[in-house]
Amino acid sequence: RKEVEQDPGPFNVPEGATVAFNCTYSNSASQSFFWYRQDCRKEPKLLMSVYSSGNEDGRFTAQLNRASQYISLLIRDSKLSDSATYLCVVRGGFNKFYFGSGTKLNVKP
Amino acid sequence: DVKVTQSSRYLVKRTGEKVFLECVQDMDHENMFWYRQDPGLGLRLIYFSYDVKMKEKGDIPEGYSVSREKKERFSLILESASTNQTSMYLCASCDSPSSGNTIYFGEGSWLTVV
């Protein structure tokens, strides 16, 4: 079983839509959680960290559910520029990072 | 802003050649990593280093070696490049968990072995 699992998508949504991605992780001792955005042929870039209480950054909301071992990302009012692959990243032990395979989002006009 | 710089962005090498990929970070991070990313396989850890001259094998170290002579610099070496090493290579760095959790990536090095 993979340490971190994501639905690869693609999620095809119209501009202005709300879209949500989930990511499950297998190690209950995982310490930190993140969402990264990766554009085609570019490096992953930090979108937001995910805190236990949930956190919001503009149109983006991230949530953590430790009991069910998943994190989520909600994007409201989708823009064309949101089209990208979204990676779920979990920090386990001291130097251990686990990456999901990414969820591809296509926002259509 | 954290800066992780990979000096070689696009390389084409012949089978059997020795390849050096250099990475420099400017945030005094203790930990540095080399990953490769392939379609359908995601990010896979090749090696990481938690201190100068220290290295640990990741999930796919075969065919690779690394060098960390200075804290800011972490090099990936392909001793004898093979076609199955054609990939995008990502260098990354992060601080200790107590100092900051986030991992930062370089822009990537696209290697084609022919």
Side-chain angles (χ1 to χ4, degrees):
Chain A
R1 185 186 169 187
K2 289 184 182 178
E3 294 280 347
V4 177
E5 300 214 51
Q6 292 182 253
D7 181 343
F11 285 60
N12 298 307
V13 303
E15 266 187 296
T18 295
V19 62
F21 311 133
N22 281 340
C23 162
T24 59
Y25 61 94
S26 61
N27 187 349
S28 60
S30 298
Q31 299 172 355
S32 307
F33 308 87
F34 311 90
W35 283 103
Y36 278 71
R37 172 192 169 127
Q38 187 172 23
D39 294 288
C40 188
R41 297 181 69 85
K42 300 278 192 178
E43 77 276 22
K45 292 184 179 176
L46 179 67
L47 178 66
M48 56 198 304
S49 302
V50 187
Y51 303 117
S52 297
S53 54
N55 48 302
E56 190 174 301
D57 182 2
R59 298 182 292 109
F60 298 84
T61 301
Q63 302 243 314
L64 166 63
N65 185 317
R66 283 195 181 269
S68 301
Q69 295 182 207
Y70 74 85
I71 68 171
S72 63
L73 178 67
L74 181 79
I75 306 175
R76 290 182 298 278
D77 188 23
S78 299
K79 312 288 185 194
L80 294 176
S81 57
D82 293 334
S83 297
T85 296
Y86 291 84
L87 294 177
C88 170
V89 181
V90 175
R91 186 166 191 169
F94 183 64
N95 275 319
K96 285 286 191 182
F97 287 88
Y98 300 99
F99 299 88
S101 54
T103 298
K104 188 169 175 59
L105 172 65
N106 295 318
V107 181
K108 309 282 189 183
Chain B
D1 273 356
V2 173
K3 187 77 173 168
V4 180
T5 304
Q6 295 180 232
S7 53
S8 302
R9 296 295 316 281
Y10 302 95
L11 307 94
V12 179
K13 297 291 181 180
R14 295 191 182 279
T15 300
E17 277 193 86
K18 193 167 186 175
V19 182
F20 291 89
L21 299 179
E22 299 281 331
C23 174
V24 177
Q25 51 96 0
D26 66 358
M27 280 300 292
D28 203 36
H29 283 167
E30 296 175 356
N31 308 298
M32 297 188 74
F33 308 80
W34 275 105
Y35 294 91
R36 63 178 283 178
Q37 187 175 32
D38 302 285
L41 297 175
L43 277 149
R44 293 181 291 167
L45 180 64
I46 303 171
Y47 268 97
F48 72 94
S49 168
Y50 53 89
D51 202 351
V52 175
K53 296 192 186 295
M54 306 304 288
K55 60 185 179 185
E56 293 281 345
K57 292 180 180 179
D59 301 316
I60 51 163
E62 297 79 19
Y64 303 95
S65 62
V66 289
S67 172
R68 193 160 179 208
E69 296 296 319
K70 294 185 178 181
K71 190 174 185 179
E72 67 270 19
R73 190 179 296 270
F74 192 35
S75 303
L76 180 69
I77 302 140
L78 287 67
E79 295 288 345
S80 177
S82 62
T83 55
N84 63 10
Q85 293 178 309
T86 292
S87 186
M88 174 169 158
Y89 290 88
L90 285 162
C91 176
S93 74
C94 74
D95 216 334
S96 61
S98 59
S99 301
N101 273 315
T102 313
I103 188 168
Y104 297 92
F105 290 91
E107 292 178 311
S109 297
W110 290 88
L111 173 66
T112 301
V113 183
V114 298

